[in-house]
Amino acid sequence: MQASESTPFIQEVVTRDDFRHAMAGLAAAVNVITSDGPGGRAGFTATAVCSVTDDPPTLLVCLNRSASVHAAFSANATLCVNTLAHGQHELSNLFGGKTDMTERFAAAQWHTWVTGAPVLEGAAASFDCRVSKTVSVGTHDILFCEVVALERQGAAAGLVYFDRQYHGVTARPV
Amino acid sequence: MQASESTPFIQEVVTRDDFRHAMAGLAAAVNVITSDGPGGRAGFTATAVCSVTDDPPTLLVCLNRSASVHAAFSANATLCVNTLAHGQHELSNLFGGKTDMTERFAAAQWHTWVTGAPVLEGAAASFDCRVSKTVSVGTHDILFCEVVALERQGAAAGLVYFDRQYHGVTARPV
């Protein structure tokens, strides 16, 4: 069932499209997840990222097992979550599309910290991580990631994806 | 280490406070998670919610095992994710604080669908779910939740928590 945009809908037989439509109502930060190592350099865009626990500091990332980058991330077992700032949505489109890896990484400046995963210059926040546990649910792997280095740009406005559009959210005045 | 708000900081020995400070840079939707059943009626506020897979339609919720509501959610094994709309942040504060359950639920209107979990009137989206799998990582349980009914209000503006403040994000014009 496709509902009109102006009225709510309640669906008791949940199809993929219904789920995706409703999930578009759950705003999320936009992240470029990167990795480098024996599996090669790779990166993809993800909104399915959240905090798990601060003891030890751990977040999670959901990754489709059929994604082209899945093999690289499995082999490397390390990654960097680069949370995009307002104004970086072109990187989201690039890392969420079919562009080859060389071209994706050529569009921005990167450095490395502990794991060797590319850390994005100008991100709102970056989390360099080791994958501590992987759980498979349906089509996806959930990568539990222990944070070994991080950076936060306190003044950066955030980039949010909501209702299939990008939005900026301002940081507290400094 | 506490950084000033105006400069980035890079931290290679990650403390809990560093992790929380950096995670405040990852914007997130605000959700009230509710449940009812043999464990009793309970609800709490969570930003650690994300989509996992659309086959079968599944999301996840992170819950501290030391939270007062943990026993009720474990016993019920069902829950509803109510994604708050702009203007509902008082409910977030109420369900994220120490107020008793009766008073929390008295502050809004609720109905039920399939599982019996309270569904919030006026939420941006609601997802009635059965918990299909639970994984423990550090202090938290990750509840994988298969969606059995849902609702989306297409015109509702979203509520986002970013930089320890609430923000509204507008929906596409209808």
Side-chain angles (χ1 to χ4, degrees), chain B residues 36-54:
Chain B
D36 202 353
R41 191 171 64 163
F44 66 101
T45 298
T47 55
V49 173
C50 70
S51 176
V52 175
T53 176
D54 62 8

Side-chain angles (χ1 to χ4, degrees), chain A residues 3 10 17 20 25 27 36 41 45 48 56 60 125-126 134 139-140 153 171:
Chain A
I10 299 168
D17 283 349
R20 286 168 174 268
D36 202 353
R41 191 171 62 163
T45 298
L60 66 80
S126 291
T134 301
T139 54
H140 280 60
Q153 292 208 44

